[in-house]
Amino acid sequence: MTTTKNTTTKPVLVLGSTGKTGSRVAARLRQRGHEVRGASRKGPVTFDWNDENTWEQVLEGAGAAYLVDSQLPGAAGSMRSFGKLAVACGVERLVLLSARDWVVPQGEEKLPCERAVRESGARWTILKPSWFFQNFSEDPFIAGQVQGGEIVMSAGGGVEPFIDADDIAEVAVAALTEEGHGGQ
């Protein structure tokens, strides 16, 4: 049996803590005895990517942070500024929920938020799931298609993976609290 040493004793910041993955990450961290600082636009601790005045208060004293970007046109600039502030506030680990790789012919990533996290100065881990399995049961956008018995997607004849948000949360918690995931 292999045991892993939890290395985070400071609070763990979970952005989007009321969302599909963030709520699961926060719950698992608490189950494992970690202090969680859940932050979102609608939660008890307010965080808004569009209001930099909400950033420092959520970072203060945190040792690690789970990040979900705004998905707005300026997301990379916000992520870059937030990452630098996080490091300045003493955050040592950043775990970003990203998406699958899309590259242009020269190999330049179209995912500049990932680049911002990599260049932050913190130990980083990037999670790249595709669709969430819970889109079948928790997302009203696709519920009608599920109930109708046919899901129409732009994947053509390709295979599209659906990842369980609980599995994403397990990996995020490991990356936030254990050694061996930095730079991955």
Side-chain angles (χ1 to χ4, degrees):
M1 175 195 234
T2 304
T3 58
T4 55
K5 179 183 173 197
N6 287 339
T7 59
T8 301
T9 57
K10 296 178 180 179
V12 178
L13 170 62
V14 178
L15 297 185
S17 62
T18 59
K20 203 168 286 183
T21 62
S23 62
R24 288 168 165 87
V25 170
R28 278 168 180 71
L29 286 164
R30 287 185 184 105
Q31 288 168 354
R32 289 167 175 80
H34 296 281
E35 183 181 345
V36 175
R37 183 175 300 145
S40 67
R41 288 176 302 198
K42 300 173 188 168
V45 177
T46 302
F47 175 83
D48 187 338
W49 281 111
N50 295 315
D51 182 359
E52 290 186 27
N53 294 318
T54 66
W55 296 7
E56 193 166 349
Q57 68 181 0
V58 299
L59 288 166
E60 190 71 35
Y66 177 73
L67 310 175
V68 180
D69 76 69
S70 68
Q71 298 186 358
L72 295 172
S78 295
M79 187 66 71
R80 185 169 318 288
S81 296
F82 185 81
K84 289 183 187 299
L85 180 60
V87 170
C89 287
V91 175
E92 298 173 356
R93 297 171 191 240
L94 298 176
V95 176
L96 173 67
L97 178 68
S98 187
R100 72 177 74 210
D101 282 334
W102 299 104
V103 294
V104 295
Q106 296 78 21
E108 179 68 19
E109 292 182 20
K110 287 188 178 179
L111 298 171
C113 284
E114 289 185 14
R115 189 175 326 108
V117 169
R118 286 185 179 111
E119 294 172 355
S120 68
R123 282 180 281 164
W124 55 268
T125 305
I126 300 188
L127 308 180
K128 298 177 137 204
S130 56
W131 284 74
F132 301 138
F133 183 76
Q134 282 73 11
N135 288 346
F136 293 112
S137 59
E138 296 177 12
D139 193 340
F141 175 73
I142 200 169
Q145 291 183 45
V146 171
Q147 292 168 350
E150 181 179 32
I151 298 172
V152 180
M153 301 178 73
S154 60
V159 176
E160 185 65 29
F162 288 80
I163 309 300
D164 194 307
D166 290 315
D167 292 338
I168 296 166
E170 287 293 331
V171 173
V173 168
L176 288 163
T177 63
E178 300 171 6
E179 292 298 333
H181 306 284
Q184 307 254 341

